[in-house]
Amino acid sequence: MGGNQINKIVFSKGDAGLRKLYSLSLSSVSISDGNNLFQTLSSLSSLQSFELWDCNISGRLLTHELPTFKNLTYLSIINSDLKNILNQVLSTLKSLKHVSMGGIVLNNFPTILSGSCNSLETLLLYSCNLTSTLSKQELPTFKNLTRLKIYDIIHYNFLQMLGTMPSLESIRIWDSILKDTQFGQVLPIFKSLKRVEMYGVDLNNFFAILDGSYNSLEILRLFNCNLTNALVKQGQPTFKNLNILDIYKTHLDINYLWMLNESFNSLQLLQLDGKNLSNTFLEQGICKSLHLQYLSIADNDWGGNLPWCLANLTSLESVDISSNQFTGDMSSSPLKGSIRVEICQV
């Protein structure tokens, strides 16, 4: 249903045509009686997917007859104004697995989703205004949430929020400012975290996110990020299964870079583009990556000769050393014997 102004929606309980309704999408719809809408939808026992895009819904749910959605597993609310109804509706949802929300205000987040804390698996947030006023003792734990995606978010209790999601396997964040104004001694521990990707992110205490994921992390990508590192610790264990390390125009503390350096034995893709670090790291760090298949160190303004230890990287298939100041020629290069290299940019 799209582009309509609706006062009341009525589905007859005996209507066989809607008995198997699986998915409902409302787009650019204005509804004046929100209580009627959600009471009616809750009568559709087969409904598993519900989308609200650019909708305006007024009214308030009657607390003595809150709707129940027993089988609703997917919810998407994008650029929709639900007035005072949103908190009430979300509290009734007990089986959500996938939630996507954008362009809305979410008060008391993530507690607002506590009804689905045992079922939620995927959470996507973009351009949302998130607020949280609860103490850590009042926060829910999302036991099965494995994938978190965030676009264009400003949040000032980020680590506290992540602490409610101990089962995360993938964290992907774009164009967000994430701070932690109430940071204390308790850190989120992610023992199953496999992928961390951040693009254009301003984040303090970044390294706390990776604490505990040394045996699980496989992919780490950081593009144009501003990361602070007050919690870098000496003598931390290495990332034993790190396969992809991709850093572009992101400054990392040298202590943490050397910790990553100890993880290079497992790397298959290493991309350090955009003036990330000094060229002393090239010989002492990169040359440990004996299983490396893809290497890119472009746009670092490094000079001198390529270190001969690169000749030990016999699995290389693609090399990019462009936009640097290296001297010498390919005939005397340590890469001249790399018979598996198919792509080489200089």
Side-chain angles (χ1 to χ4, degrees):
M1 301 180 199
N4 293 295
Q5 182 171 346
I6 302 172
N7 293 324
K8 181 173 289 189
I9 296 178
V10 178
F11 294 149
S12 172
K13 293 184 178 180
D15 190 346
L18 294 174
R19 197 179 300 167
K20 295 183 179 181
L21 185 64
Y22 171 86
S23 177
L24 177 63
S25 178
L26 301 178
S27 176
S28 300
V29 169
S30 178
I31 298 176
S32 59
D33 190 345
N35 183 67
N36 161 259
L37 170 66
F38 289 103
Q39 289 292 348
T40 301
L41 293 181
S42 67
S43 69
L44 303 174
S45 59
S46 60
L47 190 65
Q48 297 185 36
S49 174
F50 181 44
E51 296 180 336
L52 282 174
W53 290 62
D54 301 303
C55 292
N56 190 329
I57 301 176
S58 304
R60 189 171 184 85
L61 299 187
L62 302 179
T63 56
H64 64 279
E65 53 179 26
L66 288 175
T68 57
F69 297 86
K70 296 181 180 179
N71 297 308
L72 192 67
T73 59
Y74 174 78
L75 176 66
S76 179
I77 303 177
I78 308 298
N79 297 326
S80 295
D81 186 359
L82 277 70
K83 302 296 188 296
N84 299 317
I85 298 179
L86 182 60
N87 284 26
Q88 290 182 292
V89 171
L90 291 178
S91 68
T92 68
L93 305 178
K94 309 295 184 182
S95 303
L96 287 177
K97 293 184 178 181
H98 310 286
V99 171
S100 175
M101 296 186 179
I104 61 176
V105 176
L106 292 171
N107 294 318
N108 290 328
F109 181 86
T111 306
I112 194 173
L113 293 171
S114 60
S116 296
C117 63
N118 292 321
S119 59
L120 194 62
E121 298 175 1
T122 302
L123 177 60
L124 168 60
L125 302 170
Y126 71 88
S127 300
C128 289
N129 184 358
L130 308 180
T131 65
S132 177
T133 59
L134 300 179
S135 66
K136 186 179 186 301
Q137 289 73 23
E138 298 173 296
L139 293 173
T141 298
F142 296 90
K143 300 178 181 179
N144 295 299
L145 184 62
T146 58
R147 294 183 296 278
L148 174 66
K149 295 182 180 180
I150 295 176
Y151 299 79
D152 187 25
I153 294 292
I154 299 177
H155 197 274
Y156 291 100
N157 293 307
F158 183 63
L159 286 181
Q160 184 188 59
M161 182 189 78
L162 285 185
T164 68
M165 308 169 184
S167 299
L168 281 176
E169 297 179 4
S170 174
I171 300 175
R172 306 177 72 182
I173 306 175
W174 287 260
D175 301 323
S176 297
I177 299 175
L178 305 170
K179 302 294 184 179
D180 187 62
T181 57
Q182 300 178 2
F183 188 74
Q185 298 299 316
V186 180
L187 302 178
I189 302 297
F190 304 110
K191 295 184 179 181
S192 302
L193 192 60
K194 296 180 180 179
R195 175 192 292 258
V196 174
E197 297 185 16
M198 297 189 179
Y199 305 84
V201 174
D202 186 347
L203 171 65
N204 67 338
N205 294 323
F206 163 70
F207 304 119
I209 296 175
L210 303 183
D211 197 23
S213 63
Y214 304 108
N215 292 320
S216 61
L217 193 66
E218 298 175 358
I219 299 172
L220 178 59
R221 284 194 164 104
L222 305 171
F223 282 43
N224 287 306
C225 292
N226 179 21
L227 308 176
T228 62
N229 44 12
L231 297 174
V232 175
K233 302 175 184 177
Q234 299 292 336
Q236 294 191 28
T238 61
F239 297 99
K240 297 180 180 179
N241 295 299
L242 190 63
N243 294 322
I244 296 176
L245 178 61
D246 193 351
I247 302 176
Y248 177 76
K249 290 188 177 180
T250 297
H251 175 75
L252 291 180
D253 182 274
I254 190 63
N255 293 324
Y256 201 80
L257 280 170
W258 285 117
M259 193 190 85
L260 287 174
N261 168 48
E262 296 303 317
S263 306
F264 281 8
N265 287 333
S266 61
L267 282 181
Q268 296 180 21
L269 183 152
L270 177 59
Q271 185 161 320
L272 298 172
D273 296 346
K275 300 177 177 62
N276 294 298
L277 63 167
S278 67
N279 61 353
T280 57
F281 194 75
L282 175 62
E283 183 169 358
Q284 300 180 40
I286 294 175
C287 290
K288 292 185 177 182
S289 310
L290 300 182
H291 302 289
L292 204 61
Q293 298 176 17
Y294 178 97
L295 172 64
S296 178
I297 51 175
D299 192 26
N300 278 294
D301 202 27
W302 291 346
N305 296 319
L306 288 171
W308 273 100
C309 64
L310 290 178
N312 297 326
L313 307 184
T314 56
S315 297
L316 276 179
E317 298 178 5
S318 177
V319 180
D320 185 354
I321 58 174
S322 60
S323 299
N324 286 291
Q325 305 296 324
F326 293 121
T327 57
D329 56 66
M330 289 301 295
S331 62
S332 59
S333 165
L335 298 175
K336 67 179 181 179
S338 302
I339 59 175
R340 298 187 63 180
V341 173
E342 299 178 357
I343 302 173
C344 184
Q345 301 182 56
V346 297

